[in-house]
Amino acid sequence: QVQLVESGGGSVQAGASLGLSCVASGGTFRKFRMGWFRQAPGKEREFVAHSSWRFGSIYYTGYTESVEGRFTISRENAVNTVYLEMNNLKPEDTAVYYCAADPDNSGDYASGAEYDYWGQGTQVTVSS
């Protein structure tokens, strides 16, 4: 069983930065695919970013187009943590952000259905 605990949300002005953290317990974290998703009020959950294990210490990452160049996903395997650094935040980034884990590290990284474990979510609010 894998448990995920997020932290770091908050309320900021447009253009500001925020960092989210997600600590995992259970399983072999370094081999997990880790993803960040978000859900805005009245909208469906959407993929934001992923970090997927390839082999050894090699990972590849990917982002949804709307955050490309502004958000960065990273991970620190020694402390079982994945991060999402968010820069130049926009009001449309307002959402509850969730981290998710896929121990199988397979399938479509942008599909929430591929992820078996989810955090509780953390609110990010960006005002104009």
Side-chain angles (χ1 to χ4, degrees):
Q1 187 74 8
V2 176
Q3 292 185 321
L4 304 174
V5 179
E6 300 125 340
S7 60
S11 297
V12 296
Q13 296 278 335
S17 299
L18 271 179
L20 305 182
S21 301
C22 173
V23 180
S25 59
T28 307
F29 177 81
R30 66 179 181 85
K31 292 186 178 181
F32 288 178
R33 167 176 292 159
M34 297 300 297
W36 285 98
F37 290 76
R38 66 186 180 186
Q39 187 166 20
K43 295 187 177 181
E44 293 190 355
R45 181 180 62 196
E46 66 169 346
F47 165 76
V48 177
H50 80 97
S51 170
S52 299
W53 181 67
R54 293 283 284 178
F55 59 88
S57 60
I58 306 300
Y59 296 85
Y60 70 100
T61 60
Y63 302 88
T64 192
E65 185 176 352
S66 64
V67 308
E68 186 81 50
R70 298 189 297 122
F71 290 13
T72 302
I73 187 170
S74 61
R75 60 198 297 161
E76 189 173 357
N77 292 336
V79 290
N80 291 356
T81 302
V82 63
Y83 304 97
L84 186 68
E85 180 184 348
M86 305 181 292
N87 297 315
N88 190 23
L89 282 160
K90 303 177 180 181
E92 51 264 42
D93 295 318
T94 295
V96 176
Y97 283 71
Y98 299 90
C99 72
D102 171 20
D104 293 332
N105 198 43
S106 63
D108 180 3
Y109 58 75
S111 171
E114 295 291 342
Y115 295 80
D116 299 307
Y117 303 99
W118 294 81
Q120 81 284 0
T122 186
Q123 177 71 45
V124 172
T125 303
V126 185
S127 57
S128 58

